[in-house]
Every structure is written in structure tokens, then in C-alpha cells.
Amino acid sequence: MSRWGKREGMIVHQTEPYNAEPPPDALADRAVTALDTFYSRNHGPIPQLDPHTWRLRVDGEVDHALSLSLAELQSRFEPRVLTATLQCAGNRRAGLMEVRDIPGEAPWGSGAISTAEWTGVRLADVLAAAGLGAAAEHVAFAAPDISTLAEPSQPYGASIPVTKALAGEVLLAWGMNGEPLPAAHGAPVRVVVPGYIGARSVKWVQRVSAQRHPSNNYFQATAYRLHAADSDPATAGPYDGLSLGVVAVNADILRPVEGQTLPVGATEVTGYAFAGDRGVARVDVSLDSGRSWVQADLDEPSGPWAWRLWRTTLEVPAGPTVITARAWDTAAACQPESARLLWNPKGYVNNSWARVRVVGSD
């Protein structure tokens, strides 16, 4: 076991703060990701909070502020269990880096995405107990982890629209896969915002504030925003660019892996597809760069907020071959073909067709 309870073989992009993803085939064939395999994205040192002294403050545009202990949160509100996928906004950034370098950003592969069974209470229930005010348009979250990425350094924070906050799927979660949250994933309590980029699922949450405007935290106002390809994020002001929220339809190939030598003939190809707040309708796989496609089989869904694993069998020819995959969502949106058309200076939202180069050998 490596750092923070993670499995050996994690691809570590940074040790402090700890940022790591599993190798692609570690995610294959597992509808729910094991705790030691779940990707870890952090912006500062991981805090280790005492669950006995932790409290959650709920304030802002509410009738009466609340201060809740973990025991009160667990006993006062009805617990919920929800299977949901979280995906980093930088998932598959390495594909954009093949187009053009993105200095200062981690080269995330296809493993900055994982699925867990979360246990907690609905954020909507907690806001109702506080008496959510009619003027509230956003709900902000504050955590204690300090990041030096902001100047000056500041604790992590984010917000979501109040319409999403009141949706029944958004949780204040204390459990993950039937166990207490590990420190690396937000213990004792974190926010889980299904269908949104992982950056909005704030870990180690200590404060929930209903307010009239989005959070002015660096990670809401300045980071996690999509800038035009010809812009310079270093000179961008707060709220420039597009704020990232709902994830776009995406898919990748988990097995076989890049560069693998395969026997000529029948080979199983597996992967994941995820469409955020929409369903995955179809996954297509090609051996000829998209001139023809085979429709993959989709595994049964684990819930409306979880990825779909998929699989198909292809006849791999001798020599170098590129396996290509693309997903469609229930709104009939399809992944774009080229990462070149998606390149942006922070390397977000690479949902171009997935490609794995393999070699068929007799």
C-alpha cells in the first residue's frame, strides 16, 4: 500500500499536494471503484480533521444559521446512499498536451475519474432546515485545505447554483463504499455534486453558505474556467472564461492499454462512458479511424449518476493498429473527433474520441 492508502502502481503526478490516478486497466470491469484505486485530486496538503470536534456551519441567505456536529448531521436528517461518478475537469489532459504543451498542469490520463457508493444526507434537506431564503441563487462551500495556487494563499472553496443544490442527488457525505470517508477523500464530510466536475464536490467541508452570487473563491472565480485557445489565463481576471459545471459526454478505453502487443485475432476492448446529468446512449468502437464502427455492449447502469462500462470484441490485425471509441449521450450529443479542436490553455474538458495504439502480433 502506498501513500494515503492507495494501491501500488498509482500514477503519481504530484506528491504534495497529492495528485494521483490509477492505471487505466485498474478501472476496468469494476462498476464501483475501490477506495485504494479512486483517483485523488488536491490543491493543498490533505487536512486530517477530528470527526468528534468537526462542525458544519450553514449560513448566509437563510432564516436561521445552523451549526451541526457529525452526530447531529447523521441523526437529524434521513441518510441516503447514492452511486455517483466524479471526474476531474482535467481528465484526459495528456491528450491535449499531445497537441500543444500546457505548462504547469498535471498530465492526467484517463484515470482522473472514479465511481463510488456515497452515504450522506441531501444538501436540500439541510438547507430546508435552515430556511433557505428566496434571494439565494448560489450555494457556496468552504474547506480548510490551504492552496498556494491562489495569490495570496487561501482555503479551497466553490459554489453551485441553488437549483442544483436543491436537487435530491447532491449530498453531504460521510461514507464511501460502505466505509467512513478516508482523509484523502474529504473526511469527515464532503460535498458530492453528481454530474458536475469534481472540483465542485468540495472535500472536508466546514461551511455551507446560501448567497446571491457565485463564490468569489479563487477555485470558482479564477480557476476551473475554460479560456479561449489564444488567451492567457495568467492575465485573466476573476470570472473571465466559462465557468465549468456540468460535465460533457466522455469515454475512454481502459483495456487494452497504450502500446500493448496483442495476439492477432479476437480481442476484448473495454472502457467507460460518462455523460454527467444525462445518460449514455451508445458507445461505438472502430479499428479503421472511424470509417466503420461496431456498437459496444453497455453494462447495466449503477444509477443515473454513474458511468457505464462497455465492452466489445474486435478482430485485431497484424501490425500497428489504432482502436478508437466514442460515446453518445441521451441528448444525441457525441464526442468531438479531435483534441486539436478542443485545446485550451488550462487543458480542461478533453472529451475527444478515445484512441489507443496497439500492435497485433502472430
mmCIF file of all heavy atoms in Angstrom, residues 2-27:
data_model
loop_
_atom_site.group_PDB
_atom_site.id
_atom_site.type_symbol
_atom_site.label_atom_id
_atom_site.label_comp_id
_atom_site.label_asym_id
_atom_site.label_seq_id
_atom_site.Cartn_x
_atom_site.Cartn_y
_atom_site.Cartn_z
ATOM 1 N N SER A 2 0.574 2.206 -0.876
ATOM 2 C CA SER A 2 1.370 3.413 -0.975
ATOM 3 C C SER A 2 0.740 4.525 -0.142
ATOM 4 O O SER A 2 -0.127 4.278 0.696
ATOM 5 C CB SER A 2 1.504 3.832 -2.441
ATOM 6 O OG SER A 2 0.232 4.128 -2.987
ATOM 7 N N ARG A 3 1.144 5.744 -0.380
ATOM 8 C CA ARG A 3 0.707 6.875 0.429
ATOM 9 C C ARG A 3 -0.806 7.048 0.389
ATOM 10 O O ARG A 3 -1.451 6.795 -0.620
ATOM 11 C CB ARG A 3 1.393 8.141 -0.098
ATOM 12 C CG ARG A 3 1.321 9.316 0.862
ATOM 13 C CD ARG A 3 2.094 10.489 0.333
ATOM 14 N NE ARG A 3 2.126 11.555 1.316
ATOM 15 C CZ ARG A 3 2.451 12.804 1.039
ATOM 16 N NH1 ARG A 3 2.774 13.135 -0.193
ATOM 17 N NH2 ARG A 3 2.454 13.723 1.989
ATOM 18 N N TRP A 4 -1.382 7.487 1.513
ATOM 19 C CA TRP A 4 -2.798 7.767 1.658
ATOM 20 C C TRP A 4 -3.670 6.548 1.369
ATOM 21 O O TRP A 4 -4.804 6.661 0.917
ATOM 22 C CB TRP A 4 -3.225 8.948 0.790
ATOM 23 C CG TRP A 4 -2.523 10.218 1.177
ATOM 24 C CD1 TRP A 4 -1.584 10.890 0.464
ATOM 25 C CD2 TRP A 4 -2.695 10.938 2.409
ATOM 26 N NE1 TRP A 4 -1.153 11.998 1.162
ATOM 27 C CE2 TRP A 4 -1.828 12.044 2.362
ATOM 28 C CE3 TRP A 4 -3.495 10.768 3.539
ATOM 29 C CZ2 TRP A 4 -1.723 12.969 3.394
ATOM 30 C CZ3 TRP A 4 -3.389 11.693 4.578
ATOM 31 C CH2 TRP A 4 -2.527 12.776 4.495
ATOM 32 N N GLY A 5 -3.108 5.370 1.625
ATOM 33 C CA GLY A 5 -3.884 4.149 1.464
ATOM 34 C C GLY A 5 -4.131 3.743 0.047
ATOM 35 O O GLY A 5 -5.023 2.934 -0.221
ATOM 36 N N LYS A 6 -3.364 4.282 -0.879
ATOM 37 C CA LYS A 6 -3.569 3.962 -2.288
ATOM 38 C C LYS A 6 -2.755 2.742 -2.700
ATOM 39 O O LYS A 6 -1.720 2.437 -2.129
ATOM 40 C CB LYS A 6 -3.187 5.167 -3.159
ATOM 41 C CG LYS A 6 -4.100 6.365 -2.953
ATOM 42 C CD LYS A 6 -5.535 6.009 -3.277
ATOM 43 C CE LYS A 6 -6.481 7.146 -3.002
ATOM 44 N NZ LYS A 6 -7.894 6.790 -3.270
ATOM 45 N N ARG A 7 -3.227 2.058 -3.712
ATOM 46 C CA ARG A 7 -2.595 0.848 -4.208
ATOM 47 C C ARG A 7 -1.233 1.166 -4.811
ATOM 48 O O ARG A 7 -0.970 2.291 -5.253
ATOM 49 C CB ARG A 7 -3.484 0.194 -5.264
ATOM 50 C CG ARG A 7 -3.707 1.080 -6.474
ATOM 51 C CD ARG A 7 -4.697 0.501 -7.452
ATOM 52 N NE ARG A 7 -4.163 -0.648 -8.140
ATOM 53 C CZ ARG A 7 -4.899 -1.624 -8.648
ATOM 54 N NH1 ARG A 7 -6.213 -1.603 -8.513
ATOM 55 N NH2 ARG A 7 -4.351 -2.625 -9.298
ATOM 56 N N GLU A 8 -0.388 0.158 -4.841
ATOM 57 C CA GLU A 8 0.860 0.287 -5.582
ATOM 58 C C GLU A 8 0.528 0.444 -7.066
ATOM 59 O O GLU A 8 -0.459 -0.089 -7.564
ATOM 60 C CB GLU A 8 1.732 -0.951 -5.368
ATOM 61 C CG GLU A 8 2.170 -1.165 -3.917
ATOM 62 C CD GLU A 8 3.114 -0.087 -3.410
ATOM 63 O OE1 GLU A 8 3.732 0.605 -4.250
ATOM 64 O OE2 GLU A 8 3.209 0.073 -2.173
ATOM 65 N N GLY A 9 1.338 1.189 -7.751
ATOM 66 C CA GLY A 9 1.135 1.373 -9.170
ATOM 67 C C GLY A 9 0.313 2.587 -9.537
ATOM 68 O O GLY A 9 0.059 2.817 -10.735
ATOM 69 N N MET A 10 -0.130 3.364 -8.537
ATOM 70 C CA MET A 10 -0.813 4.611 -8.869
ATOM 71 C C MET A 10 0.143 5.507 -9.660
ATOM 72 O O MET A 10 1.356 5.539 -9.412
ATOM 73 C CB MET A 10 -1.282 5.328 -7.608
ATOM 74 C CG MET A 10 -2.395 4.634 -6.858
ATOM 75 S SD MET A 10 -4.020 4.704 -7.668
ATOM 76 C CE MET A 10 -4.541 6.383 -7.311
ATOM 77 N N ILE A 11 -0.396 6.231 -10.606
ATOM 78 C CA ILE A 11 0.391 7.186 -11.381
ATOM 79 C C ILE A 11 0.356 8.505 -10.624
ATOM 80 O O ILE A 11 -0.670 9.207 -10.603
ATOM 81 C CB ILE A 11 -0.191 7.341 -12.797
ATOM 82 C CG1 ILE A 11 -0.209 5.989 -13.513
ATOM 83 C CG2 ILE A 11 0.612 8.363 -13.604
ATOM 84 C CD1 ILE A 11 -1.042 5.972 -14.777
ATOM 85 N N VAL A 12 1.451 8.829 -9.959
ATOM 86 C CA VAL A 12 1.504 9.997 -9.076
ATOM 87 C C VAL A 12 2.031 11.188 -9.866
ATOM 88 O O VAL A 12 3.168 11.196 -10.326
ATOM 89 C CB VAL A 12 2.382 9.719 -7.850
ATOM 90 C CG1 VAL A 12 2.443 10.958 -6.950
ATOM 91 C CG2 VAL A 12 1.833 8.527 -7.063
ATOM 92 N N HIS A 13 1.197 12.211 -10.005
ATOM 93 C CA HIS A 13 1.594 13.412 -10.723
ATOM 94 C C HIS A 13 2.250 14.428 -9.800
ATOM 95 O O HIS A 13 3.027 15.276 -10.267
ATOM 96 C CB HIS A 13 0.382 14.051 -11.397
ATOM 97 C CG HIS A 13 -0.263 13.171 -12.426
ATOM 98 N ND1 HIS A 13 0.376 12.796 -13.588
ATOM 99 C CD2 HIS A 13 -1.479 12.581 -12.467
ATOM 100 C CE1 HIS A 13 -0.423 12.023 -14.306
ATOM 101 N NE2 HIS A 13 -1.556 11.874 -13.649
ATOM 102 N N GLN A 14 1.946 14.338 -8.512
ATOM 103 C CA GLN A 14 2.496 15.278 -7.541
ATOM 104 C C GLN A 14 2.362 14.643 -6.163
ATOM 105 O O GLN A 14 1.331 14.039 -5.848
ATOM 106 C CB GLN A 14 1.725 16.602 -7.598
ATOM 107 C CG GLN A 14 2.374 17.763 -6.900
ATOM 108 C CD GLN A 14 1.596 19.057 -7.151
ATOM 109 O OE1 GLN A 14 0.513 19.057 -7.734
ATOM 110 N NE2 GLN A 14 2.153 20.174 -6.707
ATOM 111 N N THR A 15 3.402 14.774 -5.348
ATOM 112 C CA THR A 15 3.348 14.173 -4.014
ATOM 113 C C THR A 15 2.810 15.139 -2.967
ATOM 114 O O THR A 15 2.213 14.707 -1.990
ATOM 115 C CB THR A 15 4.747 13.688 -3.590
ATOM 116 O OG1 THR A 15 5.677 14.772 -3.665
ATOM 117 C CG2 THR A 15 5.218 12.559 -4.494
ATOM 118 N N GLU A 16 3.016 16.445 -3.151
ATOM 119 C CA GLU A 16 2.495 17.439 -2.200
ATOM 120 C C GLU A 16 2.141 18.713 -2.947
ATOM 121 O O GLU A 16 3.026 19.434 -3.385
ATOM 122 C CB GLU A 16 3.531 17.740 -1.110
ATOM 123 C CG GLU A 16 2.981 18.564 0.049
ATOM 124 C CD GLU A 16 1.839 17.848 0.780
ATOM 125 O OE1 GLU A 16 2.112 16.881 1.502
ATOM 126 O OE2 GLU A 16 0.677 18.282 0.604
ATOM 127 N N PRO A 17 0.859 18.982 -3.127
ATOM 128 C CA PRO A 17 -0.277 18.155 -2.724
ATOM 129 C C PRO A 17 -0.346 16.860 -3.520
ATOM 130 O O PRO A 17 0.140 16.807 -4.653
ATOM 131 C CB PRO A 17 -1.488 19.041 -2.998
ATOM 132 C CG PRO A 17 -1.025 19.980 -4.054
ATOM 133 C CD PRO A 17 0.427 20.225 -3.794
ATOM 134 N N TYR A 18 -0.975 15.863 -2.915
ATOM 135 C CA TYR A 18 -1.007 14.530 -3.506
ATOM 136 C C TYR A 18 -2.024 14.480 -4.635
ATOM 137 O O TYR A 18 -3.221 14.729 -4.442
ATOM 138 C CB TYR A 18 -1.370 13.501 -2.439
ATOM 139 C CG TYR A 18 -1.415 12.077 -2.951
ATOM 140 C CD1 TYR A 18 -0.249 11.418 -3.316
ATOM 141 C CD2 TYR A 18 -2.620 11.403 -3.072
ATOM 142 C CE1 TYR A 18 -0.285 10.103 -3.778
ATOM 143 C CE2 TYR A 18 -2.671 10.091 -3.534
ATOM 144 C CZ TYR A 18 -1.498 9.459 -3.894
ATOM 145 O OH TYR A 18 -1.532 8.175 -4.364
ATOM 146 N N ASN A 19 -1.542 14.163 -5.827
ATOM 147 C CA ASN A 19 -2.397 14.032 -7.003
ATOM 148 C C ASN A 19 -1.999 12.772 -7.753
ATOM 149 O O ASN A 19 -0.861 12.648 -8.203
ATOM 150 C CB ASN A 19 -2.259 15.258 -7.904
ATOM 151 C CG ASN A 19 -2.927 16.476 -7.311
ATOM 152 O OD1 ASN A 19 -4.148 16.503 -7.175
ATOM 153 N ND2 ASN A 19 -2.154 17.485 -6.937
ATOM 154 N N ALA A 20 -2.929 11.843 -7.871
ATOM 155 C CA ALA A 20 -2.603 10.541 -8.454
ATOM 156 C C ALA A 20 -3.840 9.919 -9.080
ATOM 157 O O ALA A 20 -4.972 10.176 -8.654
ATOM 158 C CB ALA A 20 -2.027 9.612 -7.388
ATOM 159 N N GLU A 21 -3.603 9.091 -10.095
ATOM 160 C CA GLU A 21 -4.675 8.358 -10.755
ATOM 161 C C GLU A 21 -4.258 6.896 -10.907
ATOM 162 O O GLU A 21 -3.065 6.578 -10.948
ATOM 163 C CB GLU A 21 -4.965 8.949 -12.135
ATOM 164 C CG GLU A 21 -3.801 8.852 -13.117
ATOM 165 C CD GLU A 21 -4.107 9.469 -14.468
ATOM 166 O OE1 GLU A 21 -5.077 9.021 -15.114
ATOM 167 O OE2 GLU A 21 -3.371 10.401 -14.869
ATOM 168 N N PRO A 22 -5.213 5.989 -11.001
ATOM 169 C CA PRO A 22 -4.873 4.589 -11.226
ATOM 170 C C PRO A 22 -4.498 4.357 -12.687
ATOM 171 O O PRO A 22 -4.909 5.124 -13.574
ATOM 172 C CB PRO A 22 -6.164 3.858 -10.867
ATOM 173 C CG PRO A 22 -7.235 4.843 -11.215
ATOM 174 C CD PRO A 22 -6.670 6.197 -10.873
ATOM 175 N N PRO A 23 -3.740 3.300 -12.968
ATOM 176 C CA PRO A 23 -3.549 2.922 -14.376
ATOM 177 C C PRO A 23 -4.890 2.533 -14.972
ATOM 178 O O PRO A 23 -5.785 2.048 -14.262
ATOM 179 C CB PRO A 23 -2.583 1.738 -14.292
ATOM 180 C CG PRO A 23 -2.742 1.201 -12.900
ATOM 181 C CD PRO A 23 -3.085 2.365 -12.043
ATOM 182 N N PRO A 24 -5.080 2.745 -16.281
ATOM 183 C CA PRO A 24 -6.408 2.531 -16.878
ATOM 184 C C PRO A 24 -7.013 1.173 -16.594
ATOM 185 O O PRO A 24 -8.205 1.073 -16.261
ATOM 186 C CB PRO A 24 -6.144 2.731 -18.375
ATOM 187 C CG PRO A 24 -4.962 3.643 -18.436
ATOM 188 C CD PRO A 24 -4.105 3.255 -17.263
ATOM 189 N N ASP A 25 -6.218 0.092 -16.714
ATOM 190 C CA ASP A 25 -6.834 -1.229 -16.563
ATOM 191 C C ASP A 25 -7.259 -1.526 -15.139
ATOM 192 O O ASP A 25 -8.001 -2.474 -14.897
ATOM 193 C CB ASP A 25 -5.924 -2.330 -17.108
ATOM 194 C CG ASP A 25 -4.582 -2.406 -16.422
ATOM 195 O OD1 ASP A 25 -4.242 -1.491 -15.646
ATOM 196 O OD2 ASP A 25 -3.849 -3.391 -16.663
ATOM 197 N N ALA A 26 -6.813 -0.702 -14.156
ATOM 198 C CA ALA A 26 -7.274 -0.887 -12.778
ATOM 199 C C ALA A 26 -8.730 -0.473 -12.613
ATOM 200 O O ALA A 26 -9.390 -0.871 -11.644
ATOM 201 C CB ALA A 26 -6.391 -0.099 -11.816
ATOM 202 N N LEU A 27 -9.246 0.331 -13.550
ATOM 203 C CA LEU A 27 -10.650 0.752 -13.502
ATOM 204 C C LEU A 27 -11.571 -0.185 -14.269
ATOM 205 O O LEU A 27 -12.800 -0.112 -14.125
ATOM 206 C CB LEU A 27 -10.791 2.166 -14.083
ATOM 207 C CG LEU A 27 -10.136 3.304 -13.302
ATOM 208 C CD1 LEU A 27 -10.239 4.604 -14.089
ATOM 209 C CD2 LEU A 27 -10.762 3.469 -11.921
#
